[in-house]
């Protein structure tokens, strides 16, 4: 793809073109960034409650266009009406969630130290970084799209956003942008609060732009790492919050295996969700030998008989090549279904691999982005600890334990929590719930910033930076930093927490 | 320097050798790292209060050796008895400060969401990263040395530490290590909690070691950037918290200039402190034309008549070359004193530069690590905003304002807080006070992680990473994550803060 080439999204069910977008020119990018810079000061000066109001207005406008948006998204993604309606609701929930978190003010992490004759007073408060470039995901046209988690949390934190539209859903991206842009203007947000650009090379130029302050990305390892390298080559390096696909482990303890059939059903439902196109998809199951777990999962897959249609031609092809790579690394196919339909059809599959092949550097530990799962059987639970010690950083692990005490669950949990950002007990990792305590991220290479999360209350904190004010009097300070607390922010004063409202 | 060459520290007053250290061999590094890895689990499992007890024991042991440590440090640094006694007290204060912060438990940022029939319960708590490599500073043998901020905050957060001893003070580094190592063992900390290595190439090997989880560094731009690049070239990239020298601005408003003589006195006292070897040294003053501010500062410098002796030969030479670079960039010398004494003598100087030369890319905005300050006069306060817009990220800014209302102070403050980690009003930035709300860091290139701080309560948070537990019951969870709260940690429950003690 070059800057001269237009991008085209397709109907995955037929492979026919859907929407075409002209790449943003360098001059248009310059204007978009200039508007974002101009908006930045305005965004940072208003109380978080005011930005919250803007985000509520965007949520309402998106809901008003629900039917059109779902139809357009289904055409470009083939994810289906039910899933897309659910995802759109989730997206407007997200917009309100980050709005509420901004208004609550915890993310500013205000701290006051009174000082004394020896030590000056000190106040620390977080300030927005500035314009953020958002590269949304192919697999969530709404929830990680133009108005997804990254955009909502960056705006909530007071940063203008310039979105690079994903080429897989150009039509829905432009529509979402238009809806939000109008709603923001009507709500009184500065022009330049939200921008959009198209084209691969424009995306590169966006990351290199001297006024960009941070990048948020959801997608493949290759894409995330490329952006991270670009940002590190800038004269002024900026943070890249890249959340990337990994192989998410499922560890079934000997006691947990007592309900293998139920677990197999849950697993199939999870790894085929969205045609397997979830970064949190459970990818590799460690189960006790003797339960014939792979056969149970295969039987359930045959019963469900999914017929995956992938988001893009490239993704469909990579499912096939991914299965081949697994076989090259010693896996055998237990069952493989479909993949011969029209459009971007791809197979669903269950494979089995000897535990000894699950080791650092093996293709077995490379993500296959599709409805594919691998099962490895262990002879003793100690082996699982050795295997987990070699696991690359991943987003989410699943622990299937016995109903009562389960000593192996406790020992494995320590190992699992060292490799992932989230551990799920007796449930499934897909569809990461939107709660304040959510941590959607994990050690390298799951994310480029393992302390960051793209879902949950702390998502806002990616886009701010602390500043300390030493020896100041209130009248010179911005409102968030004043001891008088005109914004009623929660804060820590001389080491003790207070929940705001002291203005 | 190669791995074969021994390192030697010197007496800066004479240039004669002081202490020689053999470089750590690859085998010794492997053993040190193996011990650190073995210690990591033990450190992470004990309650923070237990680690706090260990740090108190270290502080006590350091105090018991105060006279010897100060004598040794003065021999190797020439910083003088008064400064070094103060710094040692500050260092034991720091050890207890981070111990107390660990025990208070805010740094774990525990959050519980109860969930309901639709949404599973979620708990997020931070876990230690693992072994941390600490590269201490030349200019603070105690406060940023073997037992300085980085080591104390990493240990407090539950991470074993391997220190790379600074070649400028090998003797005091080894002595501090021995004292701490014995005190930790006596207090019951695992063997491997603290290690030390010597030699340039061993430092490189430490950063490359697969079991290292993070790097903390205080020092020059060249050193910090080299470590950051090394860490980014690892197969598993790890964070580098590099805090580096920059040109810290001082902005005197027209109203603030009313007390130019007092300001000149304070400035000289600040920029000559520790012979100008502070990363927070005020480096460039923006003052109104007509006050002859450079002449006042020069007169005060002549009155004080400092006679700087630098920490190393290289630093002494770089003061001379730094003054030449400033002159090459259009600065003129108002006064230059000394620099012709024995040992590592270097000049102190005041220079003046036209405001137009203070621009992005100019040598005027490169740090001179010594008792050197530059003055630039403005004709109108608007010009200062233009100048600050070109300022590279710096650690700390100083704002000199009028005593009452000062509209320019408010406008400049917004610009300053966009360029630095800390703004000081009517005071001086050297000697960053140890308070919880302190932020010692700033935008790139002052730090490689602008959201991090190496001083203050949030210093601990550099060395932990959040993990979410979804759908868990208490008995399977580690103590910090239990709703029962056996460690009495402060936490946020369903969005509302509670200050612990609920066990």
């Amino acid at each position: 793809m070059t800057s001269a080439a237009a991008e085209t999204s397709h109907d995955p069910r037929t492979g026919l073109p859907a929407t075409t977008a002209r790449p943003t020119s360098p001059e248009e990018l310059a204007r978009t960034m200039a508007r974002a810079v101009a908006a930045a000061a305005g965004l940072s000066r208003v109380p978080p409650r005011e930005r919250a109001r803007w985000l509520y207005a965007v949520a309402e406008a998106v809901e008003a266009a629900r039917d059109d948006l779902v139809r357009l998204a289904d055409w470009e993604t083939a994810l289906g009406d039910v899933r897309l309606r659910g995802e759109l609701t989730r997206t407007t929930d997200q917009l309100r969630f980050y709005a509420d978190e901004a208004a609550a003010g915890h993310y500013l992490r205000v701290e006051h130290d009174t000082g004394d004759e020896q030590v000056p007073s000190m106040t620390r408060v977080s300030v927005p970084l500035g314009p953020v470039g958002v590269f949304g995901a192919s697999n969530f046209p709404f929830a990680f799209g133009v108005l997804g988690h990254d955009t909502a949390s960056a705006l909530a934190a007071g940063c203008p956003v310039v979105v690079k539209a994903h080429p897989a859903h150009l039509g829905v991206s432009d529509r979402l942008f238009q809806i939000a842009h109008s709603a923001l203007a009507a709500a009184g947000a500065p022009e330049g609060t939200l921008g959009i650009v198209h084209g691969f090379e424009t995306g590169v130029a966006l990351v290199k732009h001297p006024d960009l302050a941070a990048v948020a990305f959801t997608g493949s390892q290759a894409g995330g790492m490329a952006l991270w390298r670009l940002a590190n080559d800038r004269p002024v390096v900026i943070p890249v919050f890249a959340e990337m696909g990994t192989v998410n482990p499922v560890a079934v303890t000997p006691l947990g295996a007592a309900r293998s059939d139920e677990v197999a059903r849950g697993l199939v439902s999870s790894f085929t969700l969205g045609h397997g196109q979830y970064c949190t998809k459970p990818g590799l199951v460690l189960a006790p030998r003797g339960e014939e777990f792979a056969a149970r999962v295969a039987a359930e897959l045959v019963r469900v008989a999914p017929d995956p249609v992938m988001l893009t031609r490239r993704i469909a092809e990579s499912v096939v090549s991914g299965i081949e790579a697994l076989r090259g690394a010693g896996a055998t196919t237990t069952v493989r279904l479909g993949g011969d339909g029209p459009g971007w059809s791809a197979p669903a599959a269950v494979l089995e691999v000897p535990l000894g092949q699950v080791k650092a550097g093996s293709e077995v530990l490379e993500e296959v982005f599709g409805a594919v799962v691998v099962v490895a059987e262990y002879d003793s639970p100690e082996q699982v600890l050795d295997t987990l010690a070699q696991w690359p950083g991943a987003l989410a692990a699943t622990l299937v334990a016995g109903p009562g005490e389960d000593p192996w669950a406790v020992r494995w949990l320590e190992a699992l929590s060292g490799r992932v950002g989230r551990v799920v007990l007796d449930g499934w990792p897909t569809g990461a719930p939107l709660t304040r305590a959510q941590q959607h991220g994990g050690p390298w290479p799951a994310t480029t910033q393992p302390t960051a999360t793209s879902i949950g209350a702390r998502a806002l904190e990616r886009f701010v930076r602390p500043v300390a004010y030493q020896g100041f009097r209130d009248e010179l300070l911005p409102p968030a930093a004043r001891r008088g607390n005109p914004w009623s922010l929660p804060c820590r004063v001389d080491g003790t927490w207070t929940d705001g409202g002291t203005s």
Side-chain angles (χ1 to χ4, degrees), chain A:
Chain A
M1 220 176 311
T2 73
S3 65
E7 290 179 324
T8 303
S9 67
H10 296 80
D11 173 356
R13 294 185 179 93
T14 61
L16 296 173
T19 308
T20 294
R22 184 179 59 74
T24 304
S25 71
E27 296 71 28
E28 287 167 318
L29 174 65
R31 282 197 295 274
T32 300
M33 283 303 298
R35 283 194 294 264
V37 169
L43 260 73
S44 71
R45 280 183 199 135
V46 300
R49 284 187 180 84
E50 176 67 7
R51 294 193 303 272
R53 203 175 55 74
W54 303 342
L55 290 171
Y56 267 74
V58 171
E60 203 167 310
V62 168
E63 280 163 355
R66 177 189 300 267
D67 291 344
D68 273 3
L69 283 166
V70 167
R71 196 160 38 233
L72 196 50
D74 189 40
W75 184 34
E76 294 188 309
T77 68
L79 287 169
D81 187 75
V82 173
R83 145 72 193 266
L84 288 166
R85 282 188 185 275
E87 188 185 327
L88 191 134
T89 299
R90 181 175 156 157
T91 303
T92 53
D93 285 351
Q94 288 165 200
L95 286 159
R96 294 186 176 106
F97 172 90
Y98 294 112
D100 291 346
E101 279 301 312
H106 289 267
Y107 80 102
L108 290 167
R109 303 198 65 195
V110 180
E111 179 147 20
H112 300 288
D113 294 323
T114 305
D116 54 31
E117 275 149 41
Q118 265 82 51
V119 181
S121 72
M122 193 81 69
T123 289
R124 187 191 56 234
V125 61
S126 291
V127 300
L129 293 180
V132 173
V134 170
F135 291 71
S138 62
N139 55 337
F140 285 94
F142 298 133
F144 279 95
V146 169
L147 301 178
H149 286 282
D150 292 326
T151 298
S153 55
L155 292 177
C159 298
V161 169
V162 177
V163 178
K164 158 69 174 65
H166 197 286
H169 35 70
L170 295 163
V172 76
S173 293
D174 276 339
R175 189 69 203 278
L176 285 165
F177 170 73
Q178 287 151 8
I179 291 167
H181 192 256
S182 301
L184 286 166
E191 170 69 17
T193 297
L194 183 67
I196 193 167
V197 298
H198 297 92
F200 179 84
E201 291 196 2
T202 309
V204 170
L206 174 63
V207 176
K208 288 181 172 176
H209 196 286
D211 289 324
L212 200 73
V215 174
F217 169 87
T218 308
S220 68
Q221 282 285 336
M225 291 301 173
L227 291 183
W228 176 77
R229 277 186 215 100
L230 266 181
N232 282 349
D233 281 342
R234 290 168 49 109
V236 174
V237 173
I238 58 175
V240 173
F241 301 99
E243 185 267 277
M244 296 167 288
T246 50
V247 177
N248 299 295
V250 178
V252 184
T253 71
L255 291 171
R259 36 193 187 96
S260 285
D261 280 331
E262 176 199 333
V263 174
R265 277 196 302 278
L267 177 67
V268 169
S269 158
S270 181
F271 87 79
T272 61
L273 202 65
H275 310 163
Q277 298 165 122
Y278 271 65
C279 53
T280 52
K281 184 200 76 173
L284 202 157
V285 185
L286 304 167
R289 192 178 305 286
E291 297 287 338
E292 302 203 328
F293 196 74
R296 291 177 204 246
V297 176
E300 175 65 13
L301 188 70
V302 169
R303 194 186 70 74
V304 171
D307 190 11
V309 177
M310 312 310 278
L311 291 155
T312 67
R313 179 193 299 272
R314 197 191 53 72
I315 292 175
E317 289 169 353
S318 74
V319 174
V320 175
S321 61
I323 292 173
E324 282 319 299
L326 289 172
R327 289 165 55 87
T332 53
T333 310
T334 310
V335 70
R336 175 181 164 140
L337 304 173
D340 45 10
W344 294 327
S345 174
V350 179
L351 294 97
E352 200 165 2
V353 74
L355 188 66
Q357 299 303 108
V358 186
K359 58 189 178 191
S362 165
E363 289 277 354
V364 174
L365 290 170
E366 296 285 328
E367 180 192 36
V368 179
F369 192 64
V372 176
V373 78
V374 181
V375 176
E377 294 188 338
Y378 61 83
D379 293 302
S380 86
E382 280 87 358
Q383 289 177 312
V384 172
L385 291 174
D386 294 338
T387 302
L388 291 177
Q390 303 199 45
W391 213 281
L395 293 172
T398 304
L399 179 61
V400 179
E405 281 190 33
D406 189 336
W408 279 110
V410 173
R411 286 193 61 186
W412 289 3
L413 177 59
E414 189 174 71
L416 287 168
S417 62
R419 316 310 290 176
V420 302
R422 174 172 53 117
V423 190
V424 179
L425 180 72
D426 297 339
W428 299 101
T430 39
L434 177 64
T435 89
R436 296 182 191 88
Q438 178 62 275
Q439 171 66 20
H440 188 54
W444 190 281
T447 53
T448 45
Q449 297 258 4
T451 54
T453 180
S454 58
I455 308 181
R458 284 180 63 172
L460 279 73
E461 296 181 24
R462 295 177 294 170
F463 304 115
V464 296
R465 160 181 81 77
V467 174
Y469 300 94
Q470 176 179 326
F472 270 80
R473 36 189 207 272
D474 255 17
E475 63 268 28
L476 295 181
L477 287 171
R482 289 184 202 152
R483 291 296 294 259
N485 204 359
W487 287 358
S488 302
L489 299 169
C491 51
R492 198 180 176 213
V493 180
D494 296 325
T496 301
W497 192 263
T498 150
D499 218 345
T502 59
S503 79

